[in-house]
Structures are given as structure tokens and as C-alpha cells.
Amino acid sequence: MIKNISETPYVYSYTVPDHKGHKENIIELIKKIPHNPYETVSHQDYNLPNTMKREYKNYFLKNIFLKFKEDFIDHTKAIDLGLHNIWFQWYDPGASHVWHIHGACHFTNVYYVHLPDTSLKTELRFGDKKIVSPIEEGQILTFPSFVSHRSPVKCNIASGLSRVIISFNTSINMKL
């Protein structure tokens, strides 16, 4: 079920059905991708060739995205939800991702595959206001793509644990 999770409009959470059943499968499939650090992210596939085999992506699309899409369309009354791209990010202790936005789409979505410490949640920034959403492992955080966001580093070092996410960009087609 999609629900609003902030006083700020258009910030949603979605709880993935049977997340525990999917988690290990996704992590094992991500481990098949050759190690590819980028800037301050420990491992990711955003900049790898589109022709590279990504079994985790196919698994995610078939087992998670289709139901998310159905629920999102039902909640927003959209005609359709288009998927622009999808990638994973693996953050080892000390890794982070600086403030940034996603262009050429309506929404940024973050699926928390492994979130061992709630202090590792994505931070959102609306002007001068910083929001840390009440998100948990096994949920997808959805917010407008123009909202600046980052992965914090401060508590990641202290926890000694890795965080694994799948990020994807979407756009809606609305009935007028």
C-alpha cells in the first residue's frame, strides 16, 4: 500500500510484500556485478554499459516493481507509470552520496534492500528544511526528482555495516 509519509506533498512509502523472501536473492544477484566504486559510493552499476547482464534488475522488475507500479497508479490515479532507469548502490562503512537531484523524470525511488541501521536512511532537503523519512528496510521511498537528497556518512562509519539500495526513476501520465 502506498501512503504519504511527510507533511511535504508527494513523498510516499511503499512496503514491499515478502521483502525478506526477496532480500537475499537480490543481494546475491547484485554480487554478480563486477566491483565498481564511483566517487564516494562503494559499489554501483549506474555507469556500466546498458548491455551488461543485470539479473538483479530482471528479478526486481518481475517480483517487486510490477506490484509497486500497480499500487502507485491506484494511489495517484495516474494512467501509467513509466520506468526510466534502474541501478543499485552498495555503501560500505564510510561511503556516502552527496546532495543531488535526478533530472528528466518525475519521481526518484529508493528501495531499501538492506538497511541495518535506521540512521543510514536517505535525507531529503526542501530549501533549508532537512527531512529524514520514517522509512524502514523493505520499503520504497518515493519523492519528486527535483528534491535534493543524499546518503549520510556520519552514522555509517559508526555502525560498521553496509547499506544496499536499488534506485529507479519514474514518470507518470495523468488523466486530465
Side-chain angles (χ1 to χ4, degrees), residues 102-161:
H102 295 198
C105 60
H106 294 148
F107 291 97
T108 298
N109 308 269
V110 181
Y111 172 36
Y112 293 87
V113 178
H114 184 62
L115 185 65
D117 182 338
T118 58
S119 68
L120 304 178
K121 297 182 286 190
T122 302
E123 297 174 339
L124 308 178
R125 186 171 62 193
F126 292 87
D128 293 337
K129 185 176 183 181
K130 187 167 68 170
I131 297 173
V132 179
S133 61
I135 206 83
E136 299 175 1
E137 179 178 294
Q139 292 184 318
I140 295 173
L141 173 65
T142 298
F143 53 93
S145 63
F146 64 83
V147 172
S148 186
H149 59 284
R150 72 175 178 181
S151 173
V153 67
K154 62 186 181 305
C155 296
N156 199 4
I157 294 171
S159 73
L161 301 169

